[in-house]
Amino acid sequence: MTRNVVSLGQILPPEEVWRRLRFAANGLEIVPNPPRVGETVAIRLLLCNEAGEPLTVQKATPRIYSFGMGSLKHESLPALGPVTLPADPSHIEVLSWQWLPSAGGHRCLRVSLEIEQWPEPWVVGCNLNVINATADTYRWAVPFRLGNPTEKTQPLRLRLNLHGAGLGEEAFRAWVELPQDGSRLVPGQPLWLRPHEEREALLVIRAHRFAPEAFELVSDVEAWLGDAFLDGIRVIVQRSAPVAPFASLAARQPEESLLVSVPVGLRDSEA
């Protein structure tokens, strides 16, 4: 069973794992999530050391952003450190913070770890929204932000990675919409953003309306600005209780046919 912990080692993980560490890492906890105005939020980072020798985290700095990718606006919490992790993977070091939010909703939590004798900080993140779906819902729209934090106009491109448990790949889809002009942002299509410009976006997830199974759907949205990886978000839809079987297939309307397996973003309309 995978531990809910960030494992530090002197060898960088493969590129895909390294990207996911920045936005979908285990080992970061936000309680309650989403945060609620006026209620203290507990933030915990769980670390272990797999480097084979002691590691000293000189400084661990959390930053809290709006849900999305590329926003400059953030809140910083007090840095902690130094903390020395023994060369013992079974030893779990817990770093804790408290935060009082001024607005509700999900956040992107990023923690920068400055480690002694390492040339670059490790950045781990928890940019996560978990939807506990009811049996009568099959479509979800999750707002998030897209931004250009640099000083020059650049193209932003998205990649969507989808997978699920309990529901076949042909039975759910996801895509990104831009509410400002009602368009759909096809993965790989450039969205040109001026310096510090931010745009509202929606991640739309749809499961087959008549799927009776309990399921978990995971949608990762990753963003590249120019040629550099920017950030990502992960949205998980969970339905724990199966839907009661329909009395008859005749209850289906003609337009509610099975979803076909079409690459995300290639269809112009949604049934």
Side-chain angles (χ1 to χ4, degrees), residues 89-125:
S90 66
H91 174 84
I92 307 299
E93 191 73 32
V94 180
L95 304 182
S96 300
W97 295 267
Q98 288 191 332
W99 168 57
L100 188 63
S102 59
H106 288 276
R107 297 293 199 282
C108 289
L109 171 64
R110 304 286 293 279
V111 181
S112 175
L113 300 173
E114 299 178 25
I115 301 172
E116 189 176 63
Q117 297 183 345
W118 288 22
E120 300 290 338
W122 270 46
V123 177
V124 296

Side-chain angles (χ1 to χ4, degrees), residues 34-194:
R36 296 187 283 264
V37 178
E39 183 174 340
T40 299
V41 175
I43 296 174
R44 301 202 315 159
L45 171 62
L46 285 71
L47 296 172
C48 75
N49 175 14
E50 296 184 339
E53 59 185 33
L55 291 177
T56 297
V57 179
Q58 296 283 28
K59 186 162 62 173
T61 306
R63 296 180 177 89
I64 301 167
Y65 298 81
S66 298
F67 194 67
M69 297 166 279
S71 177
L72 280 172
K73 297 178 183 177
H74 67 274
E75 295 182 58
S76 293
L77 298 183
L80 297 181
V83 176
T84 298
L85 281 66
D88 177 5
S90 66
H91 174 84
I92 307 299
E93 191 73 32
V94 180
L95 304 182
S96 300
W97 295 267
Q98 288 191 332
W99 168 57
L100 188 63
S102 59
H106 288 276
R107 297 293 199 282
C108 289
L109 171 64
R110 304 286 293 279
V111 181
S112 175
L113 300 173
E114 299 178 25
I115 301 172
E116 189 176 63
Q117 297 183 345
W118 288 22
E120 300 290 338
W122 270 46
V123 177
V124 296
C126 182
N127 305 350
L128 177 67
N129 185 334
V130 179
I131 299 170
N132 293 310
T134 58
D136 58 347
T137 55
Y138 61 95
R139 188 179 188 276
W140 306 268
V142 180
F144 66 99
R145 301 184 70 83
L146 292 171
N148 174 7
T150 72
E151 301 296 331
K152 64 178 182 178
T153 298
Q154 295 197 69
L156 182 144
R157 293 178 172 85
L158 299 182
R159 177 185 298 173
L160 271 65
N161 299 299
L162 313 175
H163 62 276
L167 203 61
E169 291 184 3
E170 74 284 355
F172 77 98
R173 298 183 57 223
W175 63 92
V176 173
E177 295 180 356
L178 299 175
Q180 182 174 327
D181 55 16
S183 65
R184 188 178 292 190
L185 185 58
V186 177
Q189 171 189 341
L191 174 66
W192 286 88
L193 297 177
R194 298 184 301 274

Side-chain angles (χ1 to χ4, degrees), residues 15 19-20 157-161 187-188 220-224:
E15 179 186 356
R19 291 201 314 269
R20 302 297 170 85
R157 293 178 172 85
L158 299 182
R159 177 185 298 173
L160 271 65
N161 299 299
D220 287 346
V221 185
E222 298 180 334
W224 275 257

